[in-house]
Amino acid sequence: MENFTIWSLMIDISIISGLLLVGTILRAKVRWIQSLFLPASMIAGFLGLAFGPSGLGILPFSEQFSVYPSLLIAVIFAAIPIGAAKVRLSEVFHRVRNMFSYSMILTLSMWGIGVLFAMLILNPIFNDLPNGFGLILGAGFLGGHGTAAALGEGLIHAGWEEAMDLGMTSATVGLLVAVLGGLFLIKHSTESGKTQFITSFKDLPSELKSGLMPKSKRFNMGQETVSSSSIDPLVLHLAIIAFIIGISYWLTNTLSDLIPAISIPLFSVAFILGLLFQAISRRIKSDKYVDGRVMERIGGTATDFLVAFGIASINITVVMDYALPLILLFAFGTLWAYLLFRFVGPNIFKEFWLEKSIFGWGWSTGTVAMGLALLRIVDPELKSRTPEDYALAYVGVAPIDIIIVTFAPILFALGFTWAIPVVLLLGAAAIIVIYKVTGLWGQGKHENTSN
């Protein structure tokens, strides 16, 4: 491995920044890119994928550039609560309840249905497949490359040597499904009038098509809350975020050392510390010196870099020995994700079901970063508060993820693979039953049908 230096970091940022500039120009000038709602960050990512290490190998990215998204996602979620307007607790509870329920259904069903499909359909056709082959779907689509690595390591210890390679392949394919499938769903949704914040593409103003804001419609990015004679206002806001990320990183490492079996996501800790920082600053009446719009722009900047780095660092190596069963598993996983998007989302969410379900599509097939990227297309100002809801909900969902990744390889090794889909799918079904019994099922159906 090369010696990673500050100049390696600078080169990576310089390359991806250049690609972002190219992406901005292409979005402004190429009509077919405009018709797909492709953000400049996605265009930059695809260019980085084509010309980077996984493609032609022309762009000299460092060997570390694939880890940047893990840091950037923490920046995004740390910035969400800081400077935000005060909301009523009861309002937050109802929103988070629905997002928690939706996230649990996606998590439990995606893990469970993959194993069930493999055991009922794939294993009888392909006799040499391991019983836990279906775990690859949840590990890659739902979890991404990090979860695929964690589960792969556990399955290797359980005697399945190819699990790591298959998991990484699944995560790569899932990311592409998230992006391409998400763009298709967004285009169809805008044409059928289901979106709340954008309308049919044909009726969109020129700035949403080209991405270039005319002078008459420009507005300030934020306000200067301190005098530059003391500290630059932007530096103050960046310092807050950097401090929170540093504390979050130290805290997650400390918890990992104390409890090695548990892996706590950095972005969840960063969001909780961001909430704590906001509560303290509000308590001492210093929150008026933190501008919410500036924090939104910092989060938006991190999102664009995250998407670009995330796509550019995709590993497109395919494990050819498992190509056909993988294709069938991925096709079924894509269909299942669509069914969740189409039939669960509008029945769970009371408001903004399309926007929140698009986000759910992104993270349940690819990554949270892809979910955020797709969300920003249909909800550019994040008025649906979807990231905030998800960050809070994930605090409750994370332990379930950890339990699955920890115990699924053990059950696989002991020969109790059937227990995985039975328990997980019953859990998802129980949530739906509770919603039906309490009359909460079908909350969002009238919201978008009236558009």
Side-chain angles (χ1 to χ4, degrees):
M1 180 178 290
E2 67 181 40
N3 183 25
F4 186 75
T5 66
I6 188 65
W7 296 111
S8 302
L9 172 64
M10 188 65 244
I11 290 173
D12 288 340
I13 295 176
S14 177
I15 293 173
I16 212 69
S17 297
L19 295 178
L20 284 168
L21 293 175
V22 173
T24 302
I25 295 172
L26 292 176
R27 170 64 183 269
K29 300 297 182 181
V30 180
R31 288 187 177 274
W32 71 266
I33 293 180
Q34 294 177 5
S35 66
L36 290 174
F37 292 90
L38 280 175
S41 56
M42 283 189 177
I43 301 171
F46 288 133
L47 291 173
L49 180 64
F51 297 101
S54 295
L56 299 177
I58 297 175
L59 299 176
F61 284 113
S62 74
E63 293 183 3
Q64 300 296 310
F65 86 115
S66 61
V67 304
Y68 297 149
S70 299
L71 172 62
L72 291 168
I73 193 69
V75 173
I76 294 168
F77 279 92
I80 289 172
I82 302 175
K86 193 173 183 178
V87 295
R88 298 173 62 178
L89 186 60
S90 58
E91 176 189 352
V92 173
F93 170 77
H94 288 298
R95 291 203 330 267
V96 173
R97 177 199 61 196
N98 293 334
M99 178 59 77
F100 171 77
S101 300
Y102 185 64
S103 299
M104 284 294 292
I105 292 173
L106 263 61
T107 299
L108 296 174
S109 68
M110 187 66 80
W111 278 106
I113 203 67
V115 180
L116 185 65
F117 176 76
M119 298 188 75
L120 291 180
I121 306 297
L122 297 181
N123 284 52
I125 298 175
F126 307 96
N127 297 324
D128 56 343
L129 285 182
N131 287 333
F133 182 79
L135 289 169
I136 295 302
L137 179 65
F141 274 42
L142 189 76
H145 289 84
T147 300
L151 185 80
E153 185 176 356
L155 291 173
I156 287 174
H157 289 306
W160 186 11
E161 295 295 332
E162 301 90 351
M164 183 71 75
D165 291 330
L166 295 178
M168 290 299 173
T169 302
S170 176
T172 300
V173 173
L175 197 59
L176 295 175
V177 169
V179 174
L180 300 179
L183 291 173
F184 173 81
L185 291 175
I186 289 172
K187 185 170 177 60
H188 175 73
S189 298
T190 54
E191 290 176 351
S192 58
K194 293 180 180 179
T195 52
Q196 294 289 305
F197 303 108
I198 61 173
T199 57
S200 173
F201 184 77
K202 296 178 181 179
D203 299 327
L204 289 176
S206 60
E207 63 269 19
L208 288 182
K209 293 181 180 180
S210 67
L212 302 179
M213 189 70 73
K215 265 191 174 183
S216 60
K217 295 186 178 181
R218 295 175 187 176
F219 50 89
N220 294 329
M221 294 171 57
Q223 294 183 334
E224 297 186 8
T225 58
V226 293
S227 172
S228 58
S229 63
S230 172
I231 184 172
D232 187 89
L234 181 59
V235 172
L236 172 66
H237 291 72
L238 289 172
I240 293 171
I241 294 295
F243 175 72
I244 289 175
I245 297 300
I247 297 297
S248 301
Y249 181 74
W250 170 81
L251 186 57
T252 53
N253 284 342
T254 301
L255 292 174
S256 296
D257 292 338
L258 293 174
I259 316 173
I262 296 179
S263 177
I264 300 175
L266 177 63
F267 77 85
S268 287
V269 177
F271 180 77
I272 293 172
L273 290 183
L275 283 173
L276 181 61
F277 179 91
Q278 178 69 0
I280 294 174
S281 62
R282 194 171 277 153
R283 186 82 168 182
I284 62 177
K285 301 186 184 305
S286 62
D287 58 311
K288 58 186 176 182
Y289 299 109
V290 179
D291 186 78
R293 287 288 298 171
V294 175
M295 283 299 178
E296 288 176 9
R297 298 281 63 80
I298 293 175
T301 300
T303 300
D304 283 337
F305 276 98
L306 184 150
V307 172
F309 274 121
I311 297 176
S313 62
I314 291 176
N315 179 7
I316 59 174
T317 301
V318 178
V319 183
M320 297 305 298
D321 291 342
Y322 290 88
L324 185 53
L326 281 175
I327 291 172
L328 294 175
L329 181 65
F330 297 155
F332 176 77
T334 302
L335 174 62
W336 185 258
Y338 173 76
L339 293 176
L340 294 172
F341 164 82
R342 180 65 182 83
F343 298 106
V344 177
N347 286 297
I348 287 286
F349 295 114
K350 184 177 181 180
E351 296 178 323
F352 311 120
W353 80 261
L354 188 282
E355 289 74 20
K356 293 179 179 181
S357 296
I358 281 290
F359 172 76
W361 166 275
W363 73 257
S364 65
T365 56
T367 62
V368 175
M370 290 301 102
L372 286 171
L374 295 172
L375 176 66
R376 290 189 69 194
I377 299 176
V378 295
D379 182 11
E381 299 297 324
L382 301 180
K383 293 181 180 180
S384 65
R385 298 180 179 175
T386 301
E388 177 184 345
D389 294 352
Y390 177 75
L392 284 170
Y394 191 74
V395 175
V397 176
I400 304 301
D401 259 337
I402 294 168
I403 290 172
I404 293 173
V405 174
T406 301
F407 290 100
I410 297 174
L411 293 173
F412 167 76
L414 295 175
F416 296 116
T417 311
W418 271 106
I420 298 172
V422 170
V423 173
L424 297 180
L425 292 177
L426 282 177
I431 297 174
I432 294 176
V433 169
I434 291 172
Y435 265 73
K436 284 183 174 292
V437 170
T438 56
L440 295 174
W441 188 258
Q443 297 182 97
K445 283 187 174 180
H446 300 293
E447 175 199 3
N448 292 99
T449 55
S450 62
N451 286 349

